[in-house]
Amino acid sequence: MSQSNTYNVAVVGATGAVGQKMLETLADRDFPINQLKLLSSSRSAGLKTIFKGKEYVVEEATPESFTDIDIALFSAGGSVSKKLAPEAVKKGAVVIDNTSAYRMDEDVPLVVPEVNEADIKNHKGIIANPNCSTIQMVAALEPIRKSLGINRVIVSTYQAVSGAGNEANDELREQSQAFLNGEELEANLLPVKGDEKHYPIAFNALPQIDVFQENGYTFEEMKMINETKKIMHMPKLSVAATCVRLPIFTSHAESVYIEIEQDGVSVEEIQRLLAEAPGIVLQDDPATQTYPTPLSSAEKKDVFVGRIRKDLDEDHGFHLWVVSDNLLKGAAWNSVQIAERIVANQWL
């Protein structure tokens, strides 16, 4: 096992977009690592990557990979998590899983540290990292919910292509160049790689993220709806979502409408609550055109909020614009935050 006050850490999916961000974040935070193991599918095994100036060879992930591992960060797809996360737990590791595999499992805490850190200690070996678009929304809503109560949430998302992985980013680049050259656009990945039909994302907007469910909502929309209720411990909260993919490389943006419980609340009070909240940066001044954008929020760990307005017809209604880097707070940073809280509180 690891030495005193340092930990043996495995990153599963180390060569992917989120895996690479996990490594960057672990290095940036100077996480107390004794031994680091980089794992992936057989396809990426043998690739080399640098962490803190040292070269590591990526190994194929197998059940035996987790011997003596204390913390395993998973971001290699739901099927890999389903297969290997229980094996890692059997070997004594705590798994922080970045896929949808365990998010709605009753025995698995679904955690955004600014919202429900205390849930971590109830883990039975696996802790789930929520959907990227859910994370930034609940982080922004929690300080409002805590002080003023929330009855209803309606969200429309404007999501970056990197949420679909490195291949999707490559397709956006290729399609953009083809469009500018007046050539035909070839679409092979979006909106869903495994679906029958594909649409170009360059200079386009796709109102489908993940597969459609029987109720007409996409799986991404249902993830936002169900995860929000679970994280906030509000099973009866009214939540609706429409998720849209835009030709943006990094950072998701969201237009969020909420209805609060308290009467007579001002925009200034909402602004104050957000400005004082951990992990939230208020950027909200119409007089100077100050508000967050995907470009201004990229490569930053915080959740940025602006365009706060009172609804013109509903006294309890407010509109917010929420933007955050989907690979950082939406994935890698939230995972590392959970790992930091585990270590700080000795919740291994």
Side-chain angles (χ1 to χ4, degrees):
M1 294 295 284
S2 59
Q3 297 170 358
S4 176
N5 299 321
T6 61
Y7 301 85
N8 294 341
V9 176
V11 176
V12 185
T15 59
V18 173
Q20 287 292 297
K21 285 292 180 187
M22 284 175 169
L23 291 172
E24 286 177 29
T25 307
L26 288 166
D28 181 53
R29 297 292 295 177
D30 201 20
F31 192 83
I33 293 173
N34 175 43
Q35 292 181 358
L36 177 66
K37 191 175 280 192
L38 305 188
L39 304 170
S40 72
S41 65
S42 56
R43 189 184 60 196
S44 299
L47 293 175
K48 294 174 181 175
T49 193
I50 303 293
F51 179 79
K52 285 190 164 184
K54 182 181 172 185
E55 186 177 81
Y56 289 79
V57 178
V58 179
E59 304 171 31
E60 182 180 357
T62 68
E64 289 67 43
S65 302
F66 302 98
T67 303
D68 291 337
I69 293 296
D70 300 307
I71 297 171
L73 304 175
F74 272 67
S75 188
S79 59
V80 174
S81 292
K82 281 284 190 188
K83 180 182 172 186
L84 291 178
E87 299 296 329
V89 173
K90 280 184 201 167
K91 295 279 197 298
V94 173
V95 170
I96 302 168
D97 183 41
N98 199 56
T99 76
S100 61
Y102 296 100
R103 287 176 187 154
M104 297 314 297
D105 189 316
E106 285 183 10
D107 291 329
V108 176
L110 183 65
V111 176
V112 178
E114 292 88 348
V115 180
N116 62 330
E117 177 185 316
D119 289 356
I120 297 171
K121 67 177 180 288
N122 301 321
H123 77 79
K124 297 176 181 176
I126 300 174
I127 300 154
N129 204 57
N131 180 269
C132 44
S133 43
T134 306
I135 289 174
Q136 66 188 67
M137 182 175 78
V138 297
L141 295 187
E142 176 59 11
I144 301 169
R145 183 207 65 78
K146 201 155 60 175
S147 291
L148 307 172
I150 290 180
N151 290 323
R152 184 170 200 183
V153 180
I154 301 173
V155 56
S156 296
T157 72
Y158 309 82
Q159 293 181 224
V161 169
S162 55
N166 286 328
E167 283 181 292
N169 272 352
D170 292 340
E171 185 159 285
L172 171 57
R173 286 188 190 92
E174 289 159 11
Q175 288 176 0
S176 298
Q177 194 59 60
F179 185 94
L180 295 171
N181 292 342
E183 299 164 3
E184 193 173 332
L185 305 190
E186 187 179 328
N188 299 306
L189 290 172
L190 296 172
V192 184
K193 187 175 182 178
D195 242 346
E196 294 176 14
K197 212 171 188 179
H198 298 107
Y199 293 99
I201 184 61
F203 303 94
N204 208 1
L206 305 181
Q208 180 193 356
I209 300 178
D210 219 317
V211 293
F212 282 105
Q213 309 296 289
E214 285 185 7
N215 62 5
Y217 287 79
T218 65
F219 188 43
E220 182 85 356
E221 289 159 355
M222 293 311 301
K223 281 188 271 190
M224 287 198 77
I225 291 164
N226 294 324
E227 291 175 23
T228 297
K229 295 178 182 186
K230 180 176 178 178
I231 295 162
M232 302 185 92
H233 298 286
M234 296 180 73
K236 297 225 162 95
L237 180 65
S238 175
V239 186
T242 302
C243 294
V244 182
R245 187 82 72 191
L246 292 188
I248 298 164
F249 286 113
T250 306
S251 295
H252 293 343
E254 299 171 347
S255 172
V256 186
Y257 170 75
I258 60 171
E259 289 178 4
I260 62 171
E261 291 177 359
Q262 287 197 22
D263 299 328
V265 174
S266 66
V267 166
E268 289 73 24
E269 188 166 353
I270 302 275
Q271 288 173 322
R272 179 186 60 77
L273 290 169
L274 288 164
E276 294 172 357
I280 304 295
V281 176
L282 182 69
Q283 295 180 333
D284 190 21
D285 183 12
T288 59
Q289 292 177 268
T290 299
Y291 43 75
T293 68
L295 278 179
S296 67
S297 307
E299 299 293 331
K300 294 171 183 167
K301 294 186 179 76
D302 296 307
V303 173
F304 299 86
V305 185
R307 297 295 324 275
I308 300 168
R309 289 149 289 148
K310 191 157 189 165
D311 191 78
L312 298 178
D313 300 301
E314 170 56 62
D315 180 60
H316 296 90
F318 288 85
H319 300 266
L320 303 87
W321 175 247
V322 181
V323 188
S324 192
D325 187 316
N326 57 298
L327 300 179
L328 280 174
K329 183 54 185 166
W333 167 227
N334 200 74
S335 299
V336 173
Q337 268 185 300
I338 293 169
E340 288 185 346
R341 302 324 299 156
I342 290 171
V343 167
N345 293 290
Q346 298 184 316
W347 286 337
L348 273 170

